[in-house]
């Protein structure tokens, strides 16, 4: 299985890289066809006066080029590859967004904690699902849906306070941006662990919580120490 991704650096006024519509369309179709993930098109980046702005036209847009275009996004999401191709053919620059809480939830952690957790998971020989990296230095671990209902109790059971560690669950009613979506001028969402036949079956949140909670707890402790 091949997923096209692109790493794009920070833009400047001399040159604004464009999202390649064929890559976005192809990725959206593959997510629907090969992974059976629902997809929907979001906003996109517009080039104007040597800079990039979000198609929503908000000057203070928090995630330019990578959010839903309206409140009806959940109803617009489709698991049909044919429908996905039609949607992105209408707007090839649209970001590729994936609803959570349907075929997967996502555990959202700081990038440094995510890499630490990945290293521990490899040593433990845990089965991993896909993992993304975002330009704002976050990592998202894909797990079976329903994780949002379990995470707080699991974290407490491991001796951590959910409010004290930076571990967020993206579940029902939310969505995540998928590669190769670009977010503003900061870069593209990338795969840290790309979708393959080997990780078609997603892990349960219980399988990953121990290394993730440990890594996030360590990250939080180090941050408190820096501020002291």
């Amino acid at each position: 299985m091949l997923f096209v991704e692109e790493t794009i650096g920070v833009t400047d006024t001399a040159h604004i890289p464009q999202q390649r519509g064929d890559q976005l369309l192809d990725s959206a179709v593959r997510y629907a066809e090969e992974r059976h993930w629902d997809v929907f098109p979001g906003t996109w980046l517009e080039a104007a006066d040597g800079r990039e702005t979000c198609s929503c036209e908000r000057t203070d847009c928090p995630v330019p080029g990578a959010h839903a275009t309206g409140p009806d996004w959940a109803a617009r999401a489709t698991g049909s590859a044919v429908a996905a191709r039609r949607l992105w053919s209408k707007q090839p620059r649209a970001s590729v967004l994936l609803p959570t809480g349907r075929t997967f939830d996502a555990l959202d952690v700081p990038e440094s904690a995510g890499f630490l957790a990945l290293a521990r998971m490899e040593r433990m020989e845990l089965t991993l699902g896909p993992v993304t990296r975002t330009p704002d230095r976050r990592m998202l671990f894909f797990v079976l849906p329903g994780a949002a209902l379990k995470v707080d109790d699991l974290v407490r059971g491991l001796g951590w306070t959910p409010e004290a560690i930076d571990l967020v669950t993206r579940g029902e009613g939310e969505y995540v941006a998928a590669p190769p979506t670009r977010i503003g001028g900061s870069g593209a969402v990338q795969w840290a662990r790309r979708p393959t036949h080997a990780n078609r079956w997603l892990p349960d949140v219980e399988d990953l919580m121990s290394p993730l909670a440990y890594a996030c707890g360590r990250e939080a402790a180090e941050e408190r120490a820096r501020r002291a």
Side-chain angles (χ1 to χ4, degrees):
M1 180 185 303
L2 173 64
F3 282 89
V4 179
E5 68 180 62
E6 184 176 19
T7 303
I8 304 177
V10 177
T11 61
D12 56 37
T13 56
H15 173 67
I16 295 178
Q18 299 296 312
Q19 294 200 108
R20 293 174 58 184
D22 56 340
Q23 289 190 349
L24 290 161
L25 184 152
D26 181 66
S27 294
V29 170
R30 287 179 178 272
Y31 295 146
E33 186 174 58
E34 299 181 7
R35 298 299 294 199
H36 304 295
W37 290 342
D38 284 359
V39 298
F40 69 97
T43 54
W44 57 92
L45 296 174
E46 298 275 9
D49 299 324
R51 62 190 183 92
E52 291 177 303
T53 60
C54 186
S55 61
C56 73
E57 299 183 351
R58 281 181 54 187
T59 57
D60 61 343
C61 180
V63 280
H67 63 85
T69 57
D72 63 339
W73 64 264
R76 297 175 58 222
T78 178
S80 164
V82 173
R85 184 174 297 279
R86 182 172 64 249
L87 288 169
W88 269 269
S89 293
K90 293 179 180 178
Q91 180 45 263
R93 292 180 294 163
S95 53
V96 180
L97 305 178
L98 311 175
T100 50
R102 298 187 181 186
T103 52
F104 66 87
D105 281 1
L107 304 176
D108 182 343
V109 303
E111 184 180 76
S112 54
F115 278 120
L116 176 61
L118 272 177
R120 295 196 74 195
M121 291 172 188
E122 288 176 350
R123 290 195 298 270
M124 297 166 68
E125 298 184 348
L126 296 179
T127 300
L128 294 174
V131 182
T132 64
R133 294 174 61 194
T134 66
D136 59 347
R137 301 183 66 83
R138 305 289 295 185
M139 292 181 72
L140 285 81
F141 291 72
F142 288 23
V143 295
L144 290 172
L149 301 175
K150 305 175 182 179
V151 164
D152 283 359
D153 287 342
L154 290 171
V155 170
R156 292 189 187 96
L158 292 166
W160 304 95
T161 303
E163 296 76 17
I165 64 175
D166 188 1
L167 193 162
V168 180
T169 310
R170 307 296 179 189
E172 186 174 0
E174 299 179 272
Y175 58 83
V176 298
T181 295
R182 288 181 55 237
I183 301 177
S186 55
V189 181
Q190 302 175 55
W191 289 115
R193 289 296 179 94
R194 66 177 61 243
T196 66
H197 288 294
N199 62 23
R200 179 175 294 277
W201 305 108
L202 299 178
D204 199 300
V205 63
E206 286 96 335
D207 300 331
L208 307 188
M209 187 48 58
S210 178
L212 278 174
Y214 169 82
C216 289
R218 176 171 165 175
E219 173 86 3
E222 291 176 352
E223 180 63 26
R224 288 192 296 270
R226 285 192 292 267
R227 294 178 179 178

